[in-house]
């Protein structure tokens, strides 16, 4: 969850970097947290769906991740054409990971409620 938050935060910080060293620092942290997210994706999928469906869940996650990766750059280009800057595109790109991280915070709570209902 923390890595997801930081990915969104680092995306939003890219337009604020006016020095090349700052951009490198932001990109290093973004890469670090992105690597953490990718590494933990399989165990999270395993915990949510179980051993039998984990491969299908990971494929589904990667398939869903491909949609914004494919559609995002043309939308960023359209925003740049209309606004004259990429800043808004970076700010908008940071919002979904932050919202996703907030939603992921509720998963343990939902799991506990389901366990209580089963009892």
């Amino acid at each position: 969850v923390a890595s997801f938050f930081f990915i969104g935060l680092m995306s939003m910080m890219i337009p604020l970097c006016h020095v090349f060293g700052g951009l490198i620092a932001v990109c290093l942290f973004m890469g670090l947290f992105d690597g953490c997210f990718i590494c933990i994706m399989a165990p999270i999928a395993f915990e949510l769906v179980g051993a039998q469906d984990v491969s299908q869940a990971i494929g589904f996650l990667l398939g869903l991740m491909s949609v914004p990766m494919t559609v995002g750059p043309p939308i960023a280009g359209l925003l740049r054409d209309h606004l004259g800057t990429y800043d808004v595109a970076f700010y908008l790109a940071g919002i979904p990971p932050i919202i996703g991280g907030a939603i992921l915070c509720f998963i343990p709570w939902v799991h506990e409620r389901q366990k209580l209902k089963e009892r």
Side-chain angles (χ1 to χ4, degrees), residues 1-114:
V1 173
S3 65
F4 222 35
F5 277 124
F6 278 105
I7 289 169
L9 184 65
M10 292 298 124
S11 293
M12 293 177 143
M13 289 183 66
I14 289 174
L16 303 176
C17 296
H18 299 291
V19 179
F20 186 66
L23 181 63
I24 292 205
V26 167
C27 289
L28 283 173
F29 280 113
M30 190 171 180
L32 174 73
F33 290 114
D34 186 49
C36 292
F37 169 70
I38 295 299
C39 288
I40 201 74
M41 187 172 56
I44 289 173
F46 181 84
E47 187 175 323
L48 290 175
V49 299
Q52 196 163 3
D53 296 326
V54 73
S55 61
Q56 186 176 2
I58 292 172
F60 185 71
L61 284 170
L62 292 174
L64 282 177
M65 287 171 53
S66 71
V67 174
M69 297 288 189
T70 303
V71 176
I75 291 174
L78 286 173
L79 287 171
R80 196 248 183 244
D81 288 345
H82 289 290
L83 301 174
T85 181
Y86 283 108
D87 292 356
V88 174
F90 283 109
Y91 295 137
L92 291 175
I95 293 172
I98 291 174
I99 292 172
I103 291 171
L104 284 173
C105 287
F106 291 108
I107 288 177
W109 179 70
V110 171
H111 252 95
E112 287 299 317
R113 286 194 59 175
Q114 286 179 347

